[in-house]
C-alpha cells in the first residue's frame, strides 16, 4: 500500500466540524444575499450631497445632508460615502466567507453577486430609466466595490 492509498483511505477531517453542513450552506447563502442587499443601499444613497447648513451662523461650519437637487451655488458637493462603505462591506463579506470555506472562488461569491447587481443597475429599465448614471460617483462605487476585496483576496491567500 502506497502513501497515496493511505491518504485516500484516511477519514477527511475538516477544521469546521463545529458547524453542520446545512447551517454552513445557509450562512453562505445569507452572505451572498448580503452582497446584493448592501449594493441596493449603496446605489440608493450614492447621490448624497453634503454641504453647509442653512441654519443661523455659528462659530464653525458643519456638514449636514442637503437636498438631492441642491443648487450649485448652495455650497453642497457630491460625496459618494456609500462607495467607501462598499469597500469595507465587501471585504468583510469575503472575510466572513473565508471562515466558512477554503475555496477562493466560493469566498468571492458575495462580490460576484454584488458585481452582477451593479451591472444590472447600469442597464435601462423598460421605461428607459437608469438607476446608475454614467458619472464619477458611479465609477468610484465600482472601483471601491471591487478593488479592496480583490486586493484582500490577493494579499491574504486561503489557509490550507
Amino acid at each position: 500500500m502506497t502513501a497515496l492509498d493511505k491518504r485516500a483511505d484516511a477519514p477527511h477531517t475538516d477544521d469546521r466540524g463545529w458547524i453542520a453542513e446545512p447551517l454552513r450552506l445557509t450562512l453562505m447563502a445569507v452572505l451572498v444575499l448580503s452582497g446584493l442587499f448592501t449594493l441596493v443601499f449603496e446605489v440608493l444613497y450614492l447621490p448624497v450631497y453634503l454641504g453647509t447648513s442653512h441654519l443661523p451662523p455659528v462659530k464653525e461650519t458643519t456638514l449636514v445632508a442637503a437636498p438631492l437637487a441642491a443648487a450649485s451655488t448652495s455650497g453642497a458637493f457630491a460625496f459618494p460615502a456609500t462607495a467607501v462603505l462598499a469597500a469595507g462591506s465587501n471585504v468583510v463579506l469575503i472575510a466572513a466567507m473565508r471562515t466558512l470555506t477554503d475555496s477562493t472562488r466560493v469566498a468571492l461569491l458575495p462580490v460576484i453577486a454584488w458585481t452582477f447587481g451593479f451591472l444590472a443597475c447600469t442597464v435601462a429599465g423598460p421605461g428607459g430609466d437608469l438607476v446608475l448614471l454614467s458619472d464619477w460617483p458611479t465609477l468610484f462605487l465600482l472601483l471601491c466595490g471591487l478593488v479592496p476585496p480583490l486586493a484582500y483576496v490577493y494579499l491574504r491567500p486561503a489557509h490550507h
Side-chain angles (χ1 to χ4, degrees):
M1 185 178 248
T2 66
L4 205 60
D5 293 333
K6 289 180 186 175
R7 214 174 355 166
D9 291 339
H12 177 67
T13 58
D14 190 2
D15 60 347
R16 293 176 193 88
W18 60 272
I19 191 166
E21 188 68 15
L23 178 59
R24 187 174 76 84
L25 294 174
T26 303
L27 290 173
M28 291 168 69
V30 166
L31 289 172
V32 171
L33 291 174
S34 294
L36 290 174
F37 176 76
T38 59
L39 173 72
V40 169
F41 173 79
E42 293 153 5
V43 167
L44 287 177
Y45 288 99
L46 185 63
V48 168
Y49 281 80
L50 298 177
T52 56
S53 171
H54 297 293
L55 299 174
V58 290
K59 293 182 183 179
E60 47 191 67
T61 303
T62 58
L63 291 177
V64 296
L68 288 178
S72 61
T73 59
S74 69
F77 59 94
F79 180 74
T82 59
V84 178
L85 286 172
S89 65
N90 285 351
V91 169
V92 167
L93 289 172
I94 288 179
M97 284 290 278
R98 284 262 172 107
T99 65
L100 300 171
T101 183
D102 286 332
S103 170
T104 302
R105 284 182 260 173
V106 174
L108 282 171
L109 284 177
V111 174
I112 292 170
W114 186 94
T115 304
F116 279 117
F118 180 90
L119 294 174
C121 290
T122 62
V123 177
D129 296 333
L130 286 171
V131 178
L132 287 173
L133 303 175
S134 297
D135 57 357
W136 73 268
T138 301
L139 177 63
F140 191 59
L141 175 63
L142 178 65
L143 291 176
C144 286
L146 293 179
V147 172
L150 294 177
Y152 174 79
V153 167
Y154 179 74
L155 296 174
R156 300 219 32 184
H159 302 291
H160 286 216

